[in-house]
Amino acid sequence: MTLLAVIRHGPTPWNRERRLQGRRDIPLDAEGVATVAGWKLPPAFSAFDWAASPLARARRTAAILAGGAVPCASALIEMDWGGWEGRRLAELRVELGPIMAANEARGLDFRPPGGESPRMVQRRLAPWLAGIARGRRPMVVVAHRGVLRALYAAAAGWDMRERPPCALSSPAAHLFEIQAEGRLRLRSLDVQAFR
């Protein structure tokens, strides 16, 4: 069993505007950097290995928290929102109406046009998780909401058709246990709010 702590990156201007960022490489601005600099990590994390999504907002968050650059893992990149990147979910729901509702009702198979589904994110993460399990070193990763939700769905058996059984707070660390072959088990959510 290997311990995995997942932290969502700090806020960007698009987060504040409630825009879908996906693969768009929106960096932290001065406000986002200041926010992350105020987060306090559990002391145990100082002994963990670190990894981050290759997107700038995650790399910068990780560097601030870890006190220097950390390795990137391409598997941790955000869910691809395809043609909906830059849009607001609330606006898409109004614009697309029943089409959007039917797509969202697909849960793990919800997929933006030209983008990824949460199930596809899970498949992308599976080989990376198996590699972490083989290494048996606890790890902190800085990733994205879509990645965190995909991990949580796999660990909790949540099919994403309904609201999640538990809310995923941000900023916070969410702990998972990686079992043999990369299978996930939920250890605890919201280990520490960083405020």
Side-chain angles (χ1 to χ4, degrees):
M1 183 275 294
T2 305
L3 196 59
L4 177 69
V6 183
I7 300 170
R8 184 183 180 196
H9 63 79
T12 70
W14 275 25
N15 288 133
R16 288 188 289 279
E17 294 170 11
R18 303 189 66 81
R19 294 186 184 278
L20 300 169
Q21 293 180 107
R23 302 285 177 86
R24 200 73 65 88
D25 204 4
I26 308 299
L28 300 183
D29 59 5
E31 184 178 336
V33 168
T35 297
V36 174
W39 292 353
K40 305 294 182 220
L41 295 180
F45 286 9
S46 64
F48 285 29
D49 289 344
W50 284 75
S53 158
L55 295 177
R57 57 193 182 265
R59 286 186 292 112
R60 184 74 186 273
T61 299
I64 293 167
L65 295 175
V70 305
C72 291
S74 60
L76 296 172
I77 197 166
E78 176 62 302
M79 185 174 119
D80 187 346
W81 281 88
W84 290 348
E85 286 188 7
R87 303 287 308 271
R88 292 180 175 95
L89 200 53
E91 292 171 352
L92 288 166
R93 286 174 175 146
V94 170
E95 180 182 320
L96 300 175
I99 295 169
M100 183 68 167
N103 197 353
E104 288 186 290
R106 297 175 66 210
L108 284 167
D109 296 307
F110 164 81
R111 187 173 180 190
E116 280 182 299
S117 69
R119 192 181 307 276
M120 293 166 78
V121 175
Q122 289 176 337
R123 288 185 187 133
R124 168 167 48 91
L125 288 164
W128 181 81
L129 290 168
I132 299 302
R134 284 190 298 275
R136 296 190 174 159
R137 293 265 313 140
M139 179 169 283
V140 176
V141 301
V142 178
H144 308 273
R145 184 173 188 265
V147 170
L148 176 58
R149 285 170 52 90
L151 291 169
Y152 174 65
W158 173 44
D159 66 6
M160 293 187 157
R161 293 179 191 275
E162 306 286 332
R163 290 198 169 277
C166 297
L168 299 169
S169 298
S170 183
H174 307 282
L175 290 180
F176 300 88
E177 294 175 359
I178 311 174
Q179 308 293 324
E181 307 299 323
R183 288 175 289 125
L184 282 177
R185 196 175 117 201
L186 187 60
R187 177 101 169 237
S188 64
L189 299 177
D190 304 334
V191 170
Q192 179 170 336
F194 300 150
R195 297 178 185 130

